[in-house]
Amino acid sequence: EKGYETGEHAPGLKLGGCGAYKAAHHIIKTHAKVWHSYNNTWRRAQQGMVGISLTSGWGEPVDPRSQTDRDAAERYIQFHLGWFANPIYRGDYPEIMKNYVGRKSAQQGLGRSRLPTFSVQEKTYIKGTSDFLGIGHYTTRYVIQKSFPFLQMSSYHTDCDLAELVDPKWPAPGPNWLYSVPWGFRRLLNFIKTQYGNPLIYVTENGVSEKVQCTQLCDEWRIEYLKGYINEILKALNDGVNVKGYTAWSLLDKFEWNKGFSERFGFYHVDFKNRNKPRYPKASVDYYKKIIGANGFPNPREVMS
């Protein structure tokens, strides 16, 4: 959406209303081709796995008793995660996506939906092309219904008729979009279990950046974030979700999309102004080392020898 509709990210194209859907359509078909290529040519000898990594927030209805809010939250997750996961695990785009984009396209007087369609052969070819699901997750939103006025140029952003809200009490240590809401991760993982037949999951991205560089490298908020989110993954494991591995984002501070080097997700601070780019461990390094060493949270009663 940011690369092919708003032009905010590379390649900077502003193909309003259809660019994001076309790009995603090609990604899904290309992913399936790569999976089949590996499956037919190398799997027998290598015994490897091919999956896809999808990044998604969680959408929680503002009022869980309201059917309207529940429907809006459902649209949130289907327009984010379902957009890519549904074709791969169930053979086609989510029905709610097809209905909403199709209806809005008709209102615009278009002869067909801005959301492309898969042929019967393509649906069969794409379905099941993932040996595991990689999940990137950072934050959660409350979701309510919001009807956008009829626009001649509808967009991915307005197609789903919803508004995203945040709780002002949620910690927001990093950029303005990233609030720490650990319980949303457990709900997202359980949604995947229910919706896609409990696939094998690897958490490929999860972490938080910092707004202000801490000169003492004392990133307590990152420690609290990791503690909360990893704890919710453990709860999801107890729920029967098939999570196999976890990768924090990220080892080093790095170039972050259109934010450049200003947004720092790393365990290690990188001095980008020094030509040798020296690296310094933040406080979270020691904490994460203990988690890795214990393959979970260390027992506070255990005496280290």
Side-chain angles (χ1 to χ4, degrees), residues 31 34-53 89 128-134 199-204 242-245:
H31 161 80
V34 171
W35 186 92
H36 282 286
S37 174
Y38 185 83
N39 195 53
N40 296 335
T41 311
W42 294 289
R43 188 188 298 275
R44 186 176 297 169
Q46 296 181 353
Q47 296 296 302
M49 294 195 300
V50 176
I52 192 166
S53 183
Y89 285 96
T129 56
S130 200
D131 304 318
F132 67 89
L133 178 59
L200 175 64
I201 295 172
Y202 287 92
V203 177
T204 45
N242 192 11
V243 183
K244 186 74 173 176

Side-chain angles (χ1 to χ4, degrees), residues 41-143:
T41 311
W42 294 289
R43 188 188 298 275
R44 186 176 297 169
Q46 296 181 353
Q47 296 296 302
M49 294 195 300
V50 176
I52 192 166
S53 183
L54 305 175
T55 300
S56 179
W58 173 249
E60 182 74 10
V62 168
D63 180 2
R65 296 162 298 181
S66 161
Q67 187 62 49
T68 305
D69 285 2
R70 291 203 304 271
D71 290 346
E74 177 73 13
R75 289 198 301 280
Y76 176 93
I77 197 69
Q78 295 294 358
F79 266 80
H80 286 80
L81 181 67
W83 183 8
F84 295 87
N86 220 74
I88 289 168
Y89 285 96
R90 303 178 75 168
D92 200 1
Y93 290 121
E95 286 300 316
I96 196 86
M97 237 184 137
K98 293 195 290 184
N99 293 343
Y100 267 70
V101 181
R103 190 179 74 246
K104 297 212 171 193
S105 301
Q107 287 172 348
Q108 288 176 265
L110 301 176
R112 59 182 178 182
S113 176
R114 287 178 284 105
L115 182 70
T117 55
F118 295 113
S119 68
V120 174
Q121 291 87 349
E122 284 172 340
K123 289 177 186 177
T124 305
Y125 188 74
I126 292 164
K127 187 178 179 181
T129 56
S130 200
D131 304 318
F132 67 89
L133 178 59
I135 284 292
H137 174 75
Y138 292 92
T139 193
T140 284
R141 294 287 186 269
Y142 280 122
V143 180

Side-chain angles (χ1 to χ4, degrees), residues 198-210:
N198 203 12
L200 175 64
I201 295 172
Y202 287 92
V203 177
T204 45
E205 292 184 35
N206 175 240
V208 66
S209 64
E210 53 221 55

Side-chain angles (χ1 to χ4, degrees), residues 67-300:
Q67 187 62 49
T68 305
D69 285 2
R70 291 203 304 271
D71 290 346
E74 177 73 13
R75 289 198 301 280
Y76 176 93
I77 197 69
Q78 295 294 358
F79 266 80
H80 286 80
L81 181 67
W83 183 8
F84 295 87
N86 220 74
I88 289 168
Y89 285 96
R90 303 178 75 168
D92 200 1
Y93 290 121
E95 286 300 316
I96 196 86
M97 237 184 137
K98 293 195 290 184
N99 293 343
Y100 267 70
V101 181
R103 190 179 74 246
K104 297 212 171 193
S105 301
Q107 287 172 348
Q108 288 176 265
L110 301 176
R112 59 182 178 182
S113 176
R114 287 178 284 105
L115 182 70
T117 55
F118 295 113
S119 68
V120 174
Q121 291 87 349
E122 284 172 340
K123 289 177 186 177
T124 305
Y125 188 74
I126 292 164
K127 187 178 179 181
T129 56
S130 200
D131 304 318
F132 67 89
L133 178 59
I135 284 292
H137 174 75
Y138 292 92
T139 193
T140 284
R141 294 287 186 269
Y142 280 122
V143 180
I144 57 168
Q145 158 81 21
K146 179 182 179 181
S147 295
F148 287 88
F150 171 68
L151 302 168
Q152 203 57 39
M153 282 296 291
S154 288
S155 68
Y156 167 77
H157 180 66
T158 59
D159 279 340
C160 44
D161 277 353
L162 57 84
E164 301 174 25
L165 307 173
V166 297
D167 186 333
K169 294 193 288 290
W170 288 345
N176 56 11
W177 60 270
L178 207 170
Y179 292 79
S180 180
V181 195
W183 52 260
F185 203 4
R186 182 184 184 185
R187 297 187 186 194
L188 174 66
L189 292 169
N190 272 281
F191 173 88
I192 292 166
K193 173 192 169 190
T194 305
Q195 194 86 355
Y196 307 123
N198 203 12
L200 175 64
I201 295 172
Y202 287 92
V203 177
T204 45
E205 292 184 35
N206 175 240
V208 66
S209 64
E210 53 221 55
K211 283 177 181 168
V212 182
Q213 183 184 325
C214 183
T215 51
Q216 288 80 34
L217 306 180
C218 47
D219 55 347
E220 297 92 349
W221 66 88
R222 184 172 284 110
I223 291 171
E224 286 304 309
Y225 180 97
L226 291 167
K227 186 187 295 181
Y229 276 75
I230 292 170
N231 193 36
E232 291 298 320
I233 297 170
L234 292 171
K235 291 178 187 176
L237 276 166
N238 288 334
D239 298 334
V241 180
N242 192 11
V243 183
K244 186 74 173 176
Y246 173 85
T247 311
W249 191 268
S250 61
L251 178 68
L252 305 171
D253 291 337
K254 58 185 172 21
F255 191 88
E256 189 66 35
W257 297 94
N258 57 341
K259 303 297 182 187
F261 297 115
S262 66
E263 206 163 280
R264 295 174 176 268
F265 277 86
F267 284 125
Y268 285 84
H269 173 84
V270 180
D271 182 357
F272 293 112
K273 293 176 181 172
N274 185 312
R275 66 175 295 197
N276 295 321
K277 309 290 186 291
R279 305 162 182 181
Y280 305 98
K282 301 173 188 176
S284 53
V285 168
D286 190 51
Y287 180 75
Y288 195 53
K289 277 182 180 176
K290 288 174 182 169
I291 289 177
I292 292 171
N295 195 26
F297 292 111
N299 185 339

